[in-house]
Amino acid sequence: MSGLNPQQREAIHYLDGPLLVLAGAGSGKTRVITQKIAYLVQDCGFQPRNVAAITFTNKAAKEMQERIGKLLSRSTAEELQISTFHSLGVRILREEAKALGYKPRFSIFDAADCAGIIGDIAKTVDKATLRRLQSIISNWKNALVTPEAARQLAGNEHEALAAHAYLSYEATLKAYQAVDFDDLIGLPVVLFQKHPEIAEKWQNRLRYLLVDEYQDTNACQYQLLKLLTGVRAQFTAVGDDDQAIYGWRGADIDNLKKLPAEFPALKVIKLEQNYRSTVRILKAANNVIAHNEKLFDKKLWSELGHGDPISVTACKDNEAEAEGVVMKLQAHRFENRGKFKDYAILYRSNHQARGFEQQLREARIPYAMSGGKSFFDKAEIKDIIAYLRLLANEDDDPAFIRAATTPKRGIGAATLQVLGTYAGERHVSLFHAAFEEGFAHRAQPRQLEPLLEFCQFINRIQKRATREPAQQVLPDLLQAIDYEAFLYDHEEERIAQTRWANVCEFTNWLNGKGEEDGKTLIDLTQSIALISMLDKQDDDRDEVQLSTLHAAKGLEYKHVFLVGIEEGILPHRESLDPVKIEEERRLMYVGITRAQRSLHLSYCERRKQAREFIPSEPSRFIAEMGEDMRFSGGKQAAEPDKATGSARLDALKAMLAGNKR
C-alpha cells in the first residue's frame, strides 16, 4: 500500500456498500482495482473465485491479471474471475445454455456472418446499408429493445427496414444455435430476469464485483451488473464522466447519473491527483472540460512540474501539416535523445492517417497503427476459423457453407441450394441434412458424393479435436484441405506468400495458446470470437504510434501530436448539437490527457478534399484550452512579436465568435 494517496487508500479499503470511484485521467485507477482485489483476498477473507473484475478489452484484462499476479501467488490470481463483459457473458451462457434453449456449444457469429444473414433478410448487398442496419439492430439490443418494440420505435425508412429484419434475424440465429456479440450481454440479462434462481446462483458465486471504465457501459451492461450484484450491491465501479466518448456505440452516460438514485447508499470517492502529465497539460485539459455540464465536479492536479509550453501550429494545408509534424517529431526526438515509441500522432478519423503514414515512410521512421483492420478480418483467417467453428458446432450453417466451398471440392451453389431447401423444410442444420435419407433421394449422386465426403472428414477431425492437443490436430487439418496450394493457385505469388504467412502466424499462435493453457482445439475455438490479436502483439517495438483518439483511450505517451484540430473534424461536422458537442469535447480532453511531457497541436487553414481545397478553421476547443500556449505558423506568423500567446488567443476567439454569428 506504500506510495498510495489518501483517496486511493480509502477506495481500496471501503467495503460498506456500493462504491463509485471517479478516477480522472492518469490517476492510478488500475492500481486501485488491483490493490483492492489483493485486499479482498488477503485481508477480508474473500475466496479468489468469488471476486470478479470486469474490463472492456482483453488487453486490459490481461494487464490486470499480470499486475495481480505480482501481488498474490500465481495460482491465486488464476482463480480470480478477470474478464471482459463479453467473456463473462459467454461463461454464463455456456453453463446455463439449456435454460435458454441453446446447446452449450452454440456458435458466436462475428459482424461479417451477421451481415450475411441481415443482407439475405433485407435483400441487399450494399455494404453501407448493411452497416447501418447492423448498427441500428445492435443499438436496440444494447438498449434491451425487443423486435416487437422496435417496430413501434422505427422513426425513418432505415429503422423501419431494420425493425422488419430484426425479428427474422433473431429467429435465424436461434435456428443456427448461434448468438451475436450483443447477445453475450443481452441473453444473460434475459436469463437472470426469467430465472431468479439462476441469478441467485451467480450472485453467490461472484460475491464482489469491480468494474473498470464504468462510463462506457450501455443499458444492457448496466442491467447485467444490477442483476449480478443483487440486494447485497457489493461492487466498486471505477469510471470518469469526462472520458465518456462511446455514446455513438450505445454507451450511456446516464448509467453514472442513475447510480446515486438507484443505490442510495452509494459512496463516491474522487481520484484527482494525476501521475501522468505536467501542470500545463492538465490545466489545458481542465479548461476545456469545464465548458461541459458536470455530473460530478473534479479537477486534476499534478506534482510533475510546470512542463514545456503546449505548441499550436497553423499549417497551410494537410500536406504541409503531415510534413511539418514529422519534421518536428524528428527534431524533438533528436534534441531529447528519445525513442520513437515515446511519440504518438492522434487524429479524429482514420482517413486522416494517410498523409502522416506517407511522410513517416519517406523519412524511414518505423510506425504502428492501432484502431485499424483486425487480424481476424482477413479472408484467409476467416477461412480457417470457419473450419474450427464447424468442428465446435456442426449446426453452424454459415461456417459450413464457407468451409465446404473453400477450397473448392466439387460442392457447388446448386448442391447447396438443394441442401438448404431440404434443411429448411426439416428444420435441421445443413450438416445434419446431408446425412438424411430424404436428401439422398433429392440429390444426384455426383452432388451427394463430395458432400458426404466433406461431412465425414469433419466428423473424423472433430473426434480428434475434442481429445488431442491443438498442436497435433491443426497442422493435419491444414494439410488435409491443402490450403497452401489453394492460395498459390488463386493469388499471385507475393500475395499468396503474405496470406499463407498470416495463416502460419495464426496457427502457431493458436498452438501456443493450446499448449500454454492445456486446451484442445474445440476449447480454443469456443472462445475464439472473443480472443483479440492484441494479446499477441509485441508492445515493446520502437515505433511511432498512429491512432484514432477513440483507440488511444487508456493509453499514454511521453509526447503527443494532436492533428487536424479543426471545426468540422473535432468537433465533427455531424456532432454539432449540444449533447454531441459535449462528447466531442470529452474526446478532445482524452486526447490532451494522453500526453505526459509535451503536447503539440496542429490545424490546417485549408484542407484538400478530392481535388479541391476547402477553407478550414481552428477548432473552438483550442480557444477553450486557455492562454498558456505557444502559437506558430499561419497568416499571423509574419508578425511574431505582436502575436504573443494571449493576442493570438484573443484573435482566435474573435474569429470563432464571428463565425458563430
Side-chain angles (χ1 to χ4, degrees):
M1 294 277 175
S2 64
L4 292 166
N5 65 41
Q7 291 75 21
Q8 289 174 326
R9 219 165 270 213
E10 188 186 3
I12 290 164
H13 290 142
Y14 186 80
L15 288 175
D16 293 340
L19 170 66
L20 172 62
V21 179
L22 283 171
S27 63
K29 70 181 174 72
T30 309
R31 189 171 180 198
V32 167
I33 295 172
T34 50
Q35 292 275 9
K36 183 153 193 168
I37 291 170
Y39 174 67
L40 288 166
V41 173
Q42 288 176 324
D43 299 287
C44 306
F46 277 84
Q47 292 299 318
R49 64 177 177 278
N50 298 142
V51 178
I54 305 175
T55 66
F56 271 81
T57 64
N58 291 318
K59 196 175 179 187
K62 194 176 176 199
E63 186 192 334
M64 210 173 275
Q65 191 93 45
E66 281 168 4
R67 286 207 197 184
I68 290 169
K70 291 172 186 165
L71 298 174
L72 303 169
S73 72
R74 189 163 171 194
S75 58
T76 307
E78 280 171 1
E79 274 189 72
L80 295 160
Q81 310 291 322
I82 299 172
S83 68
T84 61
F85 268 104
H86 293 95
S87 300
L88 176 63
V90 170
R91 208 160 63 243
I92 294 168
L93 290 177
R94 292 263 181 243
E95 198 169 313
E96 312 296 348
K98 200 174 167 194
L100 286 167
Y102 285 88
K103 298 186 305 190
R105 270 165 54 182
F106 58 80
S107 300
I108 301 166
F109 279 9
D110 66 13
D113 296 324
C114 298
I117 296 171
I118 292 170
D120 288 345
I121 296 164
K123 296 186 172 41
T124 178
V125 289
D126 179 57
K127 284 191 173 159
T129 305
L130 278 175
R131 272 200 302 273
R132 189 137 178 213
L133 295 179
Q134 268 185 289
S135 167
I136 294 167
I137 292 173
S138 175
N139 284 340
W140 277 334
K141 284 190 162 196
N142 288 329
L144 293 168
V145 174
T146 62
E148 294 74 23
R151 293 196 162 188
Q152 311 298 315
L153 286 173
N156 57 42
E157 62 174 309
H158 271 103
E159 287 184 358
L161 188 57
H164 173 71
Y166 188 6
L167 192 64
S168 303
Y169 170 65
E170 291 289 80
T172 306
L173 282 178
K174 191 75 193 266
Y176 287 163
Q177 281 285 307
V179 300
D180 65 18
F181 223 52
D182 299 315
D183 290 330
L184 299 179
I185 318 282
L187 287 174
V189 169
V190 171
L191 174 81
F192 290 159
Q193 285 170 338
K194 283 187 178 168
H195 301 275
E197 72 289 356
I198 296 178
E200 198 179 330
K201 169 180 143 185
W202 282 88
Q203 286 162 10
N204 288 328
R205 185 179 299 182
L206 306 178
R207 300 185 78 84
Y208 200 95
L209 277 179
L210 300 102
V211 186
D212 192 12
E213 303 287 10
Y214 177 76
Q215 76 284 348
D216 294 337
T217 54
N218 58 38
C220 206
Q221 286 158 336
Y222 179 70
Q223 283 306 321
L224 182 60
L225 286 175
K226 276 184 71 178
L227 289 161
L228 275 172
T229 53
V231 288
R232 277 200 302 269
Q234 284 282 67
F235 69 83
T236 295
V238 181
D240 182 5
D241 48 330
D242 292 334
Q243 293 188 72
I245 58 170
Y246 289 113
W248 52 278
R249 209 166 66 183
D252 191 351
I253 198 165
D254 277 355
N255 291 347
L256 270 169
K257 289 180 193 165
K258 280 182 203 163
L259 272 183
E262 298 201 6
F263 296 94
L266 184 79
K267 167 106 172 152
V268 179
I269 296 172
K270 296 176 193 174
L271 304 183
E272 295 168 296
Q273 183 174 357
N274 172 290
Y275 295 94
R276 177 186 297 159
S277 310
T278 62
V279 171
R280 264 195 176 112
I281 291 167
L282 290 184
K283 195 174 169 193
N286 285 333
N287 286 345
V288 168
I289 207 68
H291 288 78
N292 271 5
E293 215 175 295
K294 303 291 278 182
L295 278 182
F296 304 93
D297 214 33
K298 70 175 187 317
K299 233 186 175 86
L300 296 180
W301 59 277
S302 164
E303 289 177 340
L304 297 175
H306 214 55
D308 299 342
I310 295 168
S311 72
V312 181
T313 308
C315 307
K316 189 174 79 194
D317 55 38
N318 28 335
E319 280 178 24
E321 181 184 36
E323 196 179 333
V325 163
V326 171
M327 277 172 62
K328 193 170 181 177
L329 188 152
Q330 277 181 300
H332 192 280
R333 177 177 164 269
F334 182 73
E335 280 167 35
N336 293 275
R337 296 196 172 93
K339 292 188 165 79
F340 286 121
K341 66 177 177 185
D342 296 339
Y343 293 83
I345 300 172
L346 308 181
Y347 35 81
R348 172 68 173 81
S349 302
N350 268 316
H351 69 82
Q352 291 170 261
R354 275 196 292 274
F356 297 97
E357 278 196 90
Q358 203 176 331
Q359 290 295 333
L360 289 164
R361 276 201 300 269
E362 281 175 20
R364 299 223 163 99
I365 294 174
Y367 67 90
M369 282 185 84
S370 55
K373 195 177 184 188
S374 158
F375 191 79
F376 282 105
D377 288 337
K378 296 179 191 295
E380 59 273 23
I381 303 304
K382 289 186 141 180
D383 288 343
I384 306 307
I385 287 175
Y387 281 90
L388 302 184
R389 278 174 31 189
L390 194 55
L391 295 177
N393 171 14
E394 64 271 17
D395 297 338
D396 186 336
D397 284 355
F400 177 89
I401 292 165
R402 188 164 191 145
T405 54
T406 318
K408 294 234 179 304
R409 48 168 60 77
I411 302 170
T415 309
L416 288 172
Q417 218 162 357
V418 177
L419 183 65
T421 308
Y422 177 79
E425 289 166 13
R426 295 273 297 119
H427 301 293
V428 293
S429 68
L430 298 175
F431 188 89
H432 284 286
F435 288 106
E436 290 201 352
E437 194 68 36
F439 173 66
H441 292 309
R442 278 198 207 181
Q444 294 169 16
R446 63 183 172 78
Q447 290 178 314
L448 193 60
E449 202 180 319
L451 197 59
L452 286 175
E453 203 177 300
F454 170 69
C455 294
Q456 282 154 0
F457 161 69
I458 292 295
N459 275 338
R460 285 196 302 278
I461 293 278
Q462 198 178 33
K463 280 198 184 85
R464 290 183 57 194
T466 51
R467 294 194 302 265
E468 296 173 30
Q471 63 270 30
Q472 283 174 19
V473 184
L474 206 47
D476 292 352
L477 172 67
L478 285 176
Q479 203 175 347
I481 64 173
D482 210 1
Y483 193 77
E484 185 178 7
F486 160 74
L487 287 177
Y488 280 93
D489 288 345
H490 287 80
E491 304 281 5
E492 57 178 86
E493 192 174 352
R494 198 172 48 81
I495 294 172
Q497 270 174 346
T498 307
R499 293 182 65 186
W500 178 244
N502 286 336
V503 170
C504 294
E505 184 185 354
F506 176 58
T507 52
N508 290 340
W509 178 67
L510 267 183
N511 287 339
K513 268 220 168 302
E515 218 168 334
E516 202 180 296
D517 306 337
K519 287 186 170 176
T520 65
L521 200 50
I522 295 286
D523 296 332
L524 288 172
T525 303
Q526 297 203 340
S527 55
I528 210 161
L530 299 166
I531 298 170
S532 158
M533 278 319 256
L534 282 173
D535 291 355
K536 67 149 201 60
Q537 275 177 0
D538 176 12
D539 291 333
D540 218 37
R541 291 215 286 257
D542 192 22
E543 299 167 325
V544 171
Q545 294 299 312
L546 262 66
S547 173
T548 61
L549 287 164
H550 284 101
K553 185 167 158 282
L555 304 174
E556 54 186 49
Y557 306 96
K558 278 188 181 160
H559 311 289
V560 167
F561 288 84
L562 288 182
V563 299
I565 308 299
E566 294 151 39
E567 288 291 307
I569 293 181
L570 187 68
H572 196 273
R573 63 180 174 277
E574 286 171 20
S575 301
L576 297 179
D577 67 65
V579 173
K580 286 183 176 169
I581 272 284
E582 292 215 334
E583 180 152 322
E584 293 291 295
R585 189 174 280 116
R586 293 195 288 268
L587 197 53
M588 179 71 176
Y589 174 84
V590 164
I592 295 169
T593 53
R594 297 313 91 202
Q596 296 172 317
R597 297 285 164 269
S598 75
L599 178 63
H600 312 270
L601 276 67
S602 56
Y603 65 89
C604 301
E605 293 181 328
R606 58 179 197 162
R607 186 167 279 277
K608 195 173 189 179
Q609 287 176 359
R611 288 185 180 169
E612 55 177 334
F613 283 100
I614 313 287
S616 346
E617 293 158 12
S619 166
R620 66 193 74 186
F621 301 145
I622 297 176
E624 291 175 2
M625 287 169 73
E627 295 180 4
D628 192 9
M629 295 191 288
R630 189 176 285 163
F631 291 86
S632 64
K635 292 170 188 138
Q636 296 166 50
E639 304 174 76
D641 299 340
K642 291 180 195 167
T644 60
S646 56
R648 279 298 281 272
L649 196 68
D650 291 342
L652 201 59
K653 283 179 177 164
M655 185 178 95
L656 286 165
N659 289 331
K660 279 177 197 162
R661 275 189 222 114

